[in-house]
C-alpha cells in the first residue's frame, strides 16, 4: 500500500486525474490524502 499526498488542487479535477494516472494510483490498495485547498474561491 502506498500513501499519495496532494494539496492545492483548487478544483482542477482533470489535472488531479492525470496525476493519479501518472503514478498508477490504485484505489483498491493505495491511500489518497488531500492536505487542503480542494476548491478555489468558495
Amino acid at each position: 500500500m502506498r500513501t499519495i499526498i496532494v494539496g492545492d488542487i483548487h478544483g482542477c479535477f482533470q489535472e488531479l486525474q492525470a496525476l493519479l494516472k501518472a503514478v498508477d494510483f490504485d484505489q483498491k490498495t493505495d491511500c489518497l490524502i488531500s492536505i487542503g485547498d480542494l476548491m478555489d474561491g468558495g
Side-chain angles (χ1 to χ4, degrees), residues 9-38:
I9 297 169
H10 292 283
C12 297
F13 183 71
Q14 291 177 335
E15 291 83 353
L16 174 60
Q17 291 290 355
L19 173 69
L20 294 176
K21 184 175 181 178
V23 299
D24 198 26
F25 178 74
D26 183 348
Q27 66 182 3
K28 294 177 185 173
T29 58
D30 295 333
C31 178
L32 177 63
I33 297 174
S34 172
I35 57 171
D37 293 334
L38 289 174

